Structure formats: structure tokens, C-alpha cells
Amino acid sequence: MSSLFLWGKRGACLLALLMLAPPARPIISDPAKPRFLEEKAGIASKGTPEQRILSAIDHIRNGNLADARATVDALLKEQPNYRLAYLLSGDLYAMRAMPLNTMGAGAGSTAAAERIADLRKEALARISSRMTQAPQTRLPAHLLVFAPQQQYAILVDAEASRIYVFKNVDGVPTYVTDHYATIGKLGSDKFREGDQRTPLGVYFVNGHLSRPYLDKTRGAQADLYGVGAWPISFPNEIDKSEGRTGSGIWLHGVPANTYARAPWASNGCVAMSNEEMLDIAQYIQVGQTPVVIVPKAEWVTKVEWQSRRDAALSLVDGWREEWESLKTQPYLNRYAKQFKSDDGQDLARWSSQKISVSAGKSWSKIRLDNLSIYASGGPNPRLTTSFKQDYRSNNLDNQMNKRQYWQQEDGIWKIIFEGAAA
């Protein structure tokens, strides 16, 4: 029977086959001959739906078709809308009659080629995630400083189609869980309304749209969001200053007749299976939980993470100390050439105003509370700092929630945007 398991036996080529091999029509065997040998009863693997789909793929790769069949059947009984499981089920039946050279070759319909390709991509994303154990052994370089009230943070790896939850344990991001997720049809780095891309950057969950509310306000369209939606703060302050447009970027579930969508299939939102969206939801604090969306997650040792955290804290405290000590020029040197304030001032106007204000000060005291620092990735990495600023001087007392965005200029971290936090 080993000839029936070609796509399973070629484990080293599996990832390439998932992405590149075209679907093929099954060849009908001679009806006068037995079509397949009777399959013994298998043992179904246990675990989450994702663990079981990966277990079924492992069984096929190892030639254990009976266990693969039992696992897929049990999974479909529990999740009757799991399309990837149906694809494997079709392959398992086809393998009884002929060898298959790739996942989905048993489907036999060229009209379904695009959907089969999407399912291959989903399988690839799930397999690739299992091969990367970094979240359990290393720390995310993007989650540097939690504000005390922020119990959890969410990290979205756009390239891996993966969403992670980390808990604030004495300031250290500690892994809680992760799930497969769908992002925009055209990928990430959203720039304008309707471009079907998922934004990159640091955002905050700023609402919860329950399913009953969506049913009332969206009618039949409510089913698109499954169990509900959790809007995030796109466009944020820096997005607006760069002319980025759009709205309605949410974390949400999927329609009732779908277990999971393809890795790139939304209009820009981050979507998960309904079961997994509810799992993520229990860690969300509306108005507090950061959602950091990066092109590719970076995992570092705790020593490296601590070094980056200390450096980020030093940046912010250096800025605060120079401002408080009325060291006007060193303070202004902290701002980038392309700096913009929330009221539209460029660096020249900002500097002129600050010099004038500083001239009237004899002393000042500045305290920063509820400080958080998160790092986005990509070709132009940024630091997003948020805090409650308590400013006191000889002629002014002021408290405000402030946000800064830092970016490297000639290898030095500088502030490119500063203003009131939305």
C-alpha cells in the first residue's frame, strides 16, 4: 500500500507541494479489480481542532491512513464546516484508488482550484507555526513595557497568519496562547480605505460589538463577523499624520458555515474561528489592550529583551529629564527632522514655540505614569510610547494622556510624532 501515500511520504517536500503543486484529477482504476484494500479501524487523535488537523497530516505523511481517517472523521463530527478537514477526507478516499502527488489532488475539480489553493495555504500556515516554537521559549521583541493596568497584550504576525496573547507578569510578556488568523486579501500595510490590507503598527482595542448588537445594526451581514467584533484604533495618530485612511478594522469571528478562512481573505480585519475568537476575547480589556500588528514577529532571548526594554526606558526618561531640567537644545534634539505635532506643527515651528515657552520657566517637574512602550517591525521600526503626563512649573500645571512615536534617524531614535493620546 505504500504507493498510495506519495504526498504523505515526501515529508521533506510537503511545504513546497502545498504551495506549488497543481490539483490533479484522480485516475479511475480498472473496475474489474479491487479498488482498495479494506482499512482497519484507526484511532482518532485528540486535542484542539488545529492539533488534530496537524495530527491527521502527520498520519498521512507516515502512511497511517486508518488513524488519519479516524482523526478527520472525529474532527468533522465536531466541526462540520472545517473545509481543510474535508479536503483531507477527500484525499484519504482518493488514496485508496491511486497515489496523490499533493494535498487536494483528490478533489478532482479544476473549477475549485482557487479554493483548494487557499486550503493548501491554510495548511502551510498551520504547519509552519507548529515548526516554530519561539513563543514558548523566547520573548516577543515588540512588547517592551506594559502599563500597570494592561493585563494582556495581543501580537499579530501578518506573515505567519498568527495571533498571540501574552500576559503581563511583573512587566514580562508571558506566553498564554496563539491561534491561526486571517488578514487582508492583499496582505498588510494598509494605506487607504478599501485597499483590502491589514494595518501595521500599535493599536488598542476600543470597543466590543456583540453579536446581538451586530444582528440589530447589520442585519444579515452580521453573520460575516461570527460571534462578534472588537474594533481597534486604526487609524492611529501617526497613521492620520501620514495620510492613511480607512475605518472598521476589527478582530472578529467568521460566518456560521465556515470554520476558518484562508490566510489572506479579509477586507483588512483580523479574523479567527468563532471558538478561537471567544478564547482571545477573554483576555481583552476594552480601552486598554494593545494590539501590535507586525509584518513578521521577532523572538529574542530574555537577556536581549531586557536590553531593548532598558534602552527604550532610557530614551523616554532622557527626554523627560532634559525637558524637566530646561535643557532646551538637548531636548529639541530628541525630535526628528520630519517631526509633526498633533496640531500640525513641523519641527521648525515646534522648536520656536518650545524655546519661547522655556524662556519663561524658572523650574519644572514632570512625572510620567502608566507608561507603556511597544515596538512595531518592518523596514522602518518604530516605538510607540503612551503615558499620563503630569507637568508642573512656576507658571503652569497640566495633566494629559500623551503618545509619542519614535523612529530611527541616522541610527538614532527620535520622535516623529507627539500629541494627546486618542
Side-chain angles (χ1 to χ4, degrees), residues 263-331:
W264 288 10
S266 79
N267 288 325
C269 295
V270 177
M272 288 152 276
S273 75
N274 290 319
E275 178 183 303
E276 292 168 340
M277 182 64 252
L278 288 176
D279 182 49
I280 293 287
Q282 67 181 310
Y283 305 110
I284 293 176
Q285 300 167 271
V286 174
Q288 297 290 345
T289 301
V291 178
V292 183
I293 309 176
V294 298
K296 183 176 182 179
E298 182 181 2
W299 309 102
V300 297
T301 65
K302 187 170 183 178
V303 171
E304 174 63 19
W305 175 84
Q306 187 67 55
S307 175
R308 297 192 188 194
R309 181 180 190 275
D310 290 346
L313 285 169
S314 179
L315 274 176
V316 177
D317 194 55
W319 164 83
R320 182 204 60 79
E321 192 277 331
E322 287 165 355
W323 187 19
E324 180 181 77
S325 302
L326 305 178
K327 299 174 183 176
T328 306
Q329 195 53 55
Y331 161 76

Side-chain angles (χ1 to χ4, degrees), residues 199-211:
L200 297 174
V202 177
Y203 303 96
F204 295 86
V205 177
N206 58 13
H208 173 215
L209 307 178
S210 68
R211 181 55 191 267

Side-chain angles (χ1 to χ4, degrees), residues 143-146 167-173 305 309:
L143 310 181
L144 295 176
V145 179
F146 287 86
K167 185 177 182 179
N168 173 6
V169 179
D170 297 326
V172 179
W305 175 84
R309 181 180 190 275

